[in-house]
Amino acid sequence: MSEEMKTKITKVPAKGRFLIARPFLRDPNFWRSVVLLTEHNDEGSVGFVLNRPIEYKINDLIEDFPTFDAPVYLGGPVGTDTLHFLHRIPELCDDPDREIAPGLFWGTSFEELREGVESGLITPPDVRLFVGYSGWGPYQLEGELKMKSWYISKSSPNLTFSDTPRGLWREVLRSMGDRFRIISHYPEDPSLN
């Protein structure tokens, strides 16, 4: 395994890291999901599922928003009446706490997003929109890790903004090296193998 691959794999959850559902995690909210953690501290964890696109556009969800052909994702089972976004445009972020990982930001202002879309500064490939989010209470995620529900790796802006979200689970596992490449081929229903 190359040094680059070795550095991607970690056992410690942190802001800016991916949680990758292990093949046996059967919770329908997280089955074969890739979650980007945007917060992780003693108060709990927050993140967004990156590979669950839904059949909406932002124009369906925000009245009078300019036409913007960016897909919307189901970020998780919590707060499905809320809308969130990630982006990779440093000019939109003046709060250093909103930088999740180098070049990756958690947006706070839909008004700024609107202005960026109207000015042409923001294009669909630079934004990920989410209905809802994934949340864990204090030490809940650590409990799931002890139960071996998740793998953890460092994130990548390219994978975060992948244009093939339905294949992201396999793509992230393959990027983690040989052992995980084998796991990426695990059948969806092992009884049919």
Side-chain angles (χ1 to χ4, degrees):
M1 183 183 320
S2 73
E3 283 304 310
E4 179 184 2
M5 290 300 175
K6 285 180 186 174
T7 61
K8 289 190 85 163
I9 302 164
T10 181
K11 294 184 188 259
V12 180
K15 177 170 113 173
R17 294 200 173 149
F18 285 150
L19 295 177
I20 304 99
R22 289 187 182 220
F24 297 110
L25 179 61
R26 291 295 179 190
D27 179 334
N29 295 303
F30 297 110
W31 184 77
R32 293 199 175 206
S33 66
V34 177
V35 177
L36 175 68
L37 284 177
T38 54
E39 285 185 16
H40 179 75
N41 54 43
D42 290 343
E43 295 175 25
S45 304
V46 174
F48 298 100
V49 176
L50 299 175
N51 57 332
R52 297 278 191 279
I54 59 177
E55 298 298 319
Y56 290 98
K57 300 290 185 199
I58 192 169
N59 310 93
D60 300 323
L61 303 172
I62 298 180
E63 195 173 302
D64 298 326
F65 200 86
T67 300
F68 191 59
D69 194 30
V72 177
Y73 295 78
L74 181 60
V78 182
T80 55
D81 59 343
T82 61
L83 194 59
H84 308 269
F85 69 99
L86 299 172
H87 64 89
R88 53 183 168 186
I89 303 165
E91 297 83 7
L92 272 185
C93 191
D94 57 5
D95 180 354
D97 289 338
R98 289 299 183 176
E99 187 169 24
I100 305 306
L104 181 58
F105 306 92
W106 186 358
T108 58
S109 168
F110 277 92
E111 191 52 43
E112 284 182 2
L113 180 63
R114 177 191 307 272
E115 291 170 8
V117 168
E118 288 172 342
S119 72
L121 175 66
I122 301 173
T123 61
D126 295 321
V127 176
R128 282 290 179 265
L129 300 153
F130 301 93
V131 170
Y133 62 94
S134 301
W136 294 265
Y139 306 104
Q140 183 181 0
L141 180 56
E142 285 79 0
E144 291 182 17
L145 291 167
K146 284 180 184 172
M147 293 176 17
K148 301 196 181 298
S149 297
W150 302 97
Y151 299 116
I152 303 173
S153 83
K154 293 184 179 177
S155 64
S156 148
N158 289 339
L159 290 172
T160 299
F161 293 92
S162 170
D163 58 1
T164 56
R166 297 212 186 268
L168 186 61
W169 183 79
R170 282 192 164 101
E171 188 177 357
V172 170
L173 285 170
R174 284 192 296 259
S175 77
M176 293 167 60
D178 291 340
R179 180 180 130 209
F180 296 95
R181 188 171 291 114
I182 292 167
I183 293 167
S184 77
H185 294 290
Y186 192 84
E188 290 186 21
D189 183 350
S191 68
L192 298 177
N193 195 8

